[in-house]
Amino acid sequence: MYRTALRNVLAHKGRLLMTALAVMLGTAFVAGTMVFSDTFGKAMRDSNSKSYSDVSVQVVDRAAGSTASARQKGEGGSATLTDATVQQLAALPGTANARGVVSGFTGVADKKGNLIGQVWAAKGANFTPGQDGKDPRYPMVEGQGPKTAKEVALDRKTADKAGYKVGDTVRVAANGPVVEAKLTGVFTTDDPVVNTGGTLTLFDKATAQQTLLEPGRYSSIVLTAKPGTSQDALLAEAQPKVPSGHQFDVETGAKLNADEQEMITKATGSMRTMLLVFAFISLFVGIFIIANTFTMLVAQRTKELALLRAIGASRKQVTRSVLIEALLIGTASAVAGLLAGVGIGAGMQSLIGSLNENMPNGSLVIKPLTAVVTIVVGVVVTVLSALLPAMRASRIAPVAAMSSGDQPVSQKSLVVRNTIGSVLAGGGLALIGFGASTGDDSGRLPVGAGAFLALIGVFVLLPLLSRPVVALVGPLLRGLGGTPGRLAQQNAVRNPRRTAATAAALTIGLTLVTGLTVIGASVNDTVDRAVTSAMKADYIIGAANNMSLSEQVPAQIAKAPGVAASSALTTSYWDLNGTGTTINGVDPANLDQLTDVKLTAGSTANLAKGQLLVSEDTAKKLNTTTGSVVNVTFPDESTGQLTIGGVYENAGVLGRTLLANSEVAKHEPKPYVSEVLVKGKDGATDGLKQALKDATGANPVIEVKSKQDVRDEFSQTITFALNLMYGLLGMAVLIAILGVVNTLAMSVFERKREIGMLRAIGLDRGGIKRMVRLESVVISLFGAGIGLVLGCFIAWAVNGTLKSSLSGLTTVLPYGQLAMFLALAGVVGLVAAIWPARRASKLDILESIKTD
């Protein structure tokens, strides 16, 4: 039986090629993912390993980098890290050196005034020279470090990127006005921010403190231990000297490095998990192809298997022979997939490097675990996929099999299959509906479980669905293809199980693609409505890093030529009736010109009276109505009361509460200015946009965005995410195409006599080709259509779970894109049929007719 299994593999290698290719592609995706994540993770860890090379102990003031809202919530304290603290820590017996570090956001403009690099990777720090005038952290390759408020130094990558030379004037900004400073030096650094494409600007100590924190304050203090003093010993000495306050973290350099390595490992692990999910989707699609292939091979070899049974082979031996075939194919394909996966991993690493030249790079990491997992997964998936066909082969009765090449499917098996499918699909749809009805994230687990059950149930029911669905397109097929069209329809429903198994692969891909597309379109529409329905302003001005705008910016903007009305949007965090609530401040005088507040009760005029407007959901949460009084606890710990002056429909851009800026300022001397809304005298014009940029000093950190810019920003983010998902699903779709090719090719082999008879009675080669192509298109459209319907339903349910976090979310069906997906599925069917149709048309008539 072992020799028979090996002979069958070699005899049918052409028919098994597509199956082997499907396994190889799926396992290559798995191997490539593991190789890439291991390689990228090691490169990241190596790149960041030098971050704490000179740190024995570090004291960090978390409050120094906290946001305004965090400070308003009471995070942090009055104690700070100062020169006195540095001196105390420097005097410790185990301290060799102590230095104060100032760090914060600093954007650098290029010669055209645009921000260099990404806003999240723009950093500023202090230059602290020693007795020799040098700072060992930042060795200068040109010039010297900054000494005055009008001097800065830049890292070499940033200087080269912008074309700056020592002596040039550089424009830099944090969240305040732009500073024009002389470039006095260019330095090298191992700072991970710079190594990954960020920018680092050095100021003298006093300027860094004034610009990034406040005079005399440090964000952290770094201690270097004396020889013979361990990091833990120095830590024990330092902890009593750190100012009291829960915002201070004191850790050893080894612990900080270990934490960072762990964080990188978790991040790359999350990336690996996401990629492996799509890899296993590809393998899941491959299961249908493998099972379909072995089912057809068993059907083609019924007489051979019956002969084996007749001469004494047991059922176990027949089953074992089919599984051995699967084992051989799975092993060979998995090994090939492993080799291809190494290439994919290297390609993904090169792609990341080409997209961002600053990303860390390193030699490929191929762990033994990668090889073991890849081969085991490939073999297990192939053998399990062939298990059911193998069991069917063992049940072929010798006499019945010798008399017929095709064994009819029993009515009982179909009834059992349809019953199981109905239970699974019904239960899955019920779970999906329940999850959607919750309206919040608690429904995501039921929706996910229901989607899985529904998908399996639909797969089981596909044979039942194939006949009526294909029958619907019968008139169209006959109209387009005549006799070949009629034959294509009959062929598509002749073996419903085979049609279902072939279409199932496409169903999976289209379900996922459709679901993602509908969710993306729905979120995009909701954001668009939130921006356009609630905002009359022509421009929104904010900091690119989401930090607070300088308190001078609103006044500068109000004076810009062409401005008809403007208002700063401020943010505070107060307790209303004991519930922490974000308070959004606006200018009451210009509110109606800048926004469209749809009130359900009260009036916007009440804002000028010091009253509070709340959204409908906030009113319900606080159990208040117009005229109600709420108790308030302010950030300065004082208390008071506010009257509800109106209730408005939920609107994203306005937030959940509105209060006059003058009222906010009573308890927030320096409120957090999130944005400034601007209405132009002549609407949104290029001249107004330029005037607004000029009013902010052409600050590279400040963005002036129109309503369309805001829409495009969200749209681009969603489009990027969708394109990424489409790319990851591309492997599954490719495997699905291979499945259609494989099924058609083997079907042509099965129907050689039938095709010969059709040729003999007058159907020409063109008619044979048309018949095979139309059959392929029908199967592809059948699978795609089921996937579209199921994907839309699942997307509707997922949207239901997002309503609590995205107010006003409704399901939007992008009919144009859905029609395009269906059309592409038809094209896939045509492409997949090229080789099988060509093969069928070239069959010799006489040889085909005499085929046994």
Side-chain angles (χ1 to χ4, degrees):
M1 294 305 295
Y2 292 112
R3 287 196 298 272
T4 301
L6 179 60
R7 180 186 62 79
N8 285 331
V9 171
L10 297 176
H12 301 120
K13 52 182 177 291
R15 287 179 246 172
L16 293 170
L17 177 62
M18 295 299 176
T19 300
L21 194 56
V23 177
M24 188 199 77
L25 288 175
T27 52
F29 201 165
V30 173
T33 293
M34 297 182 73
V35 169
F36 169 68
S37 58
D38 290 338
T39 301
F40 186 70
K42 183 177 184 299
M44 286 289 290
R45 287 190 293 272
D46 291 345
S47 174
N48 286 270
S49 62
K50 299 178 182 179
S51 301
Y52 301 100
S53 58
D54 63 338
V55 178
S56 298
V57 172
Q58 180 173 268
V59 182
V60 177
D61 181 1
R62 293 196 311 272
S66 64
T67 62
S69 60
R71 290 192 295 272
Q72 290 158 6
K73 294 177 188 179
E75 296 177 6
S78 57
T80 59
L81 300 178
T82 63
D83 284 321
T85 316
V86 174
Q87 292 169 7
Q88 286 179 331
L89 295 173
L92 293 173
T95 301
N97 181 52
R99 71 171 187 271
V101 176
V102 183
S103 181
F105 169 81
T106 302
V108 184
D110 60 20
K111 292 183 178 180
K112 294 182 180 179
N114 298 318
L115 182 70
I116 300 174
Q118 300 295 325
V119 67
W120 50 266
K123 180 180 173 183
N126 61 314
F127 180 76
T128 308
Q131 296 291 339
D132 56 359
K134 298 179 181 179
D135 187 333
R137 295 175 298 167
Y138 310 113
M140 294 290 164
V141 293
E142 294 180 41
Q144 61 183 11
K147 297 179 180 179
T148 69
K150 291 296 183 179
E151 295 179 346
V152 295
L154 293 176
D155 67 273
R156 183 165 58 184
K157 290 183 178 180
T158 300
D160 290 345
K161 191 181 299 183
Y164 284 131
K165 305 293 183 184
V166 172
D168 288 348
T169 299
V170 179
R171 303 174 73 251
V172 298
N175 69 326
V178 175
V179 175
E180 292 189 350
K182 179 182 177 181
L183 181 63
T184 62
V186 176
F187 59 91
T188 58
T189 178
D190 291 328
D191 192 304
V193 171
V194 176
N195 291 338
T196 54
T199 63
L200 179 58
T201 307
L202 296 182
F203 304 90
D204 68 281
K205 183 182 75 172
T207 304
Q209 291 176 329
Q210 177 68 40
T211 304
L212 306 178
L213 291 174
E214 57 189 48
R217 184 176 183 181
Y218 294 103
S219 51
S220 63
I221 298 175
V222 172
L223 305 182
T224 304
K226 289 180 179 178
T229 302
S230 68
Q231 292 188 0
D232 290 333
L234 183 57
L235 176 68
E237 292 179 9
Q239 283 177 326
K241 301 297 182 180
V242 175
S244 59
H246 63 273
Q247 81 270 25
F248 296 106
D249 289 330
V250 188
E251 295 288 357
T252 63
K255 177 66 165 56
L256 292 169
N257 187 61
D259 289 345
E260 189 163 282
Q261 298 292 310
E262 182 181 358
M263 182 179 66
I264 293 172
T265 300
K266 286 182 178 179
T268 53
S270 299
M271 177 184 65
R272 171 190 287 208
T273 300
M274 183 191 74
L275 292 175
L276 283 176
V277 166
F278 287 93
F280 282 108
I281 289 173
S282 299
L283 285 170
F284 186 59
V285 171
I287 287 174
F288 294 93
I289 298 173
I290 299 166
N292 207 16
T293 300
F294 276 96
T295 298
M296 295 177 74
L297 284 174
V298 167
Q300 291 172 12
R301 288 161 40 203
T302 50
K303 291 186 178 181
E304 174 189 328
L305 295 171
L307 181 59
L308 290 173
R309 291 293 312 284
I311 62 176
S314 66
R315 285 188 173 186
K316 288 184 178 180
Q317 287 178 311
V318 172
T319 302
R320 196 180 301 133
S321 70
V322 177
L323 292 180
I324 290 171
E325 288 183 54
L327 177 65
L328 293 173
I329 295 168
T331 303
S333 303
V335 171
L338 175 62
L339 297 176
V342 173
I344 290 174
M348 293 173 72
Q349 184 75 355
S350 298
L351 177 63
I352 291 293
S354 64
L355 294 176
N356 187 342
E357 61 182 11
N358 297 296
M359 292 302 289
N361 205 348
S363 57
L364 282 180
V365 177
I366 306 172
K367 295 182 178 179
L369 179 64
T370 299
V372 172
V373 168
T374 302
I375 293 174
V376 168
V377 166
V379 170
V380 169
V381 166
T382 309
V383 172
L384 288 180
S385 301
L387 182 60
L388 189 57
M391 293 173 63
R392 287 176 182 163
S394 69
R395 293 172 183 167
I396 297 174
V399 175
M402 296 277 285
S403 63
S404 174
D406 293 318
Q407 296 304 302
V409 178
S410 70
Q411 188 67 27
K412 180 180 177 182
S413 69
L414 290 176
V415 170
V416 171
R417 176 179 181 135
N418 293 337
T419 301
I420 293 173
S422 299
V423 170
L424 289 173
L429 294 176
L431 271 176
I432 292 173
F434 169 75
S437 67
T438 61
D440 55 37
D441 55 8
S442 65
R444 291 174 191 172
L445 182 60
V447 167
F452 179 76
L453 288 177
L455 203 57
I456 299 299
V458 168
F459 292 159
V460 176
L461 289 173
L462 280 177
L464 178 66
L465 298 173
S466 64
R467 290 184 181 276
V469 173
V470 173
L472 290 175
V473 298
L476 180 61
L477 288 175
R478 291 192 291 272
L480 291 175
T483 298
R486 184 182 297 108
L487 292 171
Q489 179 193 0
Q490 294 171 355
N491 290 334
V493 296
R494 175 185 297 180
N495 191 329
R497 290 190 178 190
R498 181 186 305 163
T499 297
T502 307
L506 284 171
T507 299
I508 296 171
L510 265 294
T511 297
L512 296 172
V513 169
T514 300
L516 290 171
T517 302
V518 173
I519 291 171
S522 302
V523 172
N524 209 22
D525 174 74
T526 302
V527 172
D528 184 65
R529 283 187 288 107
V531 172
T532 56
S533 64
M535 194 176 98
K536 293 180 182 178
D538 296 312
Y539 290 102
I540 300 177
I541 301 168
N545 58 351
N546 293 322
M547 291 178 65
S548 175
L549 291 169
S550 171
E551 56 187 8
Q552 298 100 330
V553 170
Q556 293 170 341
I557 290 172
K559 296 176 183 178
V563 173
S566 67
S567 172
L569 297 182
T570 59
T571 304
S572 296
Y573 195 84
W574 299 354
D575 279 352
L576 302 183
N577 283 350
T579 301
T581 307
T582 300
I583 305 296
N584 301 290
V586 295
D587 182 358
N590 295 326
L591 180 64
D592 290 335
Q593 297 182 66
L594 299 168
T595 64
D596 183 13
V597 183
K598 294 182 172 63
L599 289 165
T600 58
S603 170
T604 56
N606 291 330
L607 279 173
K609 301 175 183 177
Q611 296 182 3
L612 181 70
L613 302 185
V614 297
S615 62
E616 290 177 319
D617 55 357
T618 302
K620 291 178 182 178
K621 186 176 181 180
L622 298 175
N623 193 26
T624 58
T625 59
T626 302
S628 300
V629 175
V630 293
N631 297 315
V632 186
T633 301
F634 302 105
D636 56 9
E637 302 301 326
S638 63
T639 60
Q641 292 184 326
L642 285 174
T643 301
I644 303 298
V647 178
Y648 56 89
E649 295 180 4
N650 300 327
V653 73
L654 297 176
R656 300 178 184 274
T657 61
L658 290 175
L659 189 65
N661 277 326
S662 57
E663 293 296 317
V664 174
K666 292 179 181 178
H667 304 278
E668 293 284 348
K670 292 185 177 181
Y672 180 88
V673 183
S674 58
E675 293 170 327
V676 179
L677 300 182
V678 175
K679 182 75 173 176
K681 294 177 181 177
D682 301 317
T685 63
D686 292 338
L688 176 59
K689 188 171 186 177
Q690 188 60 51
L692 294 173
K693 287 184 176 180
D694 293 341
T696 60
N699 192 321
V701 177
I702 295 178
E703 295 180 329
V704 180
K705 294 183 288 188
S706 65
K707 286 192 286 188
Q708 189 58 47
D709 292 334
V710 176
R711 291 192 193 108
D712 292 343
E713 191 174 88
F714 280 101
S715 178
Q716 287 171 3
T717 302
I718 293 172
T719 300
F720 174 79
L722 288 176
N723 288 339
L724 177 62
M725 297 297 182
Y726 293 157
L728 294 173
L729 287 171
M731 187 71 77
V733 175
L734 176 60
I735 293 175
I737 295 172
L738 293 177
V740 178
V741 175
N742 198 27
T743 301
L744 289 174
M746 297 183 73
S747 179
V748 166
F749 179 84
E750 274 188 344
R751 304 203 306 258
K752 285 177 66 177
R753 175 178 290 181
E754 174 188 323
I755 293 171
M757 291 295 294
L758 290 172
R759 290 293 314 283
I761 62 177
L763 190 62
D764 60 10
R765 289 186 174 181
I768 295 294
K769 287 183 179 179
R770 191 157 58 250
M771 177 187 72
V772 176
R773 288 171 185 162
L774 288 174
E775 179 184 351
S776 176
V777 170
V778 167
I779 293 174
S780 298
L781 290 177
F782 167 62
I786 298 295
L788 284 176
V789 173
L790 192 56
C792 288
F793 182 70
I794 293 174
W796 166 81
V798 172
N799 286 341
T801 67
L802 296 173
K803 286 183 177 179
S804 62
S805 54
L806 194 57
S807 180
L809 178 64
T810 57
T811 299
V812 175
L813 297 180
Y815 294 104
Q817 286 179 277
L818 298 182
M820 182 186 70
F821 293 155
L822 204 57
L824 287 175
V827 172
V828 164
L830 281 175
V831 172
I834 291 175
W835 178 60
R838 185 180 180 85
R839 182 182 178 188
S841 68
K842 289 186 175 182
L843 290 176
D844 183 86
I845 297 176
L846 295 179
E847 287 187 5
S848 300
I849 292 175
K850 71 178 183 180
T851 298
D852 292 331

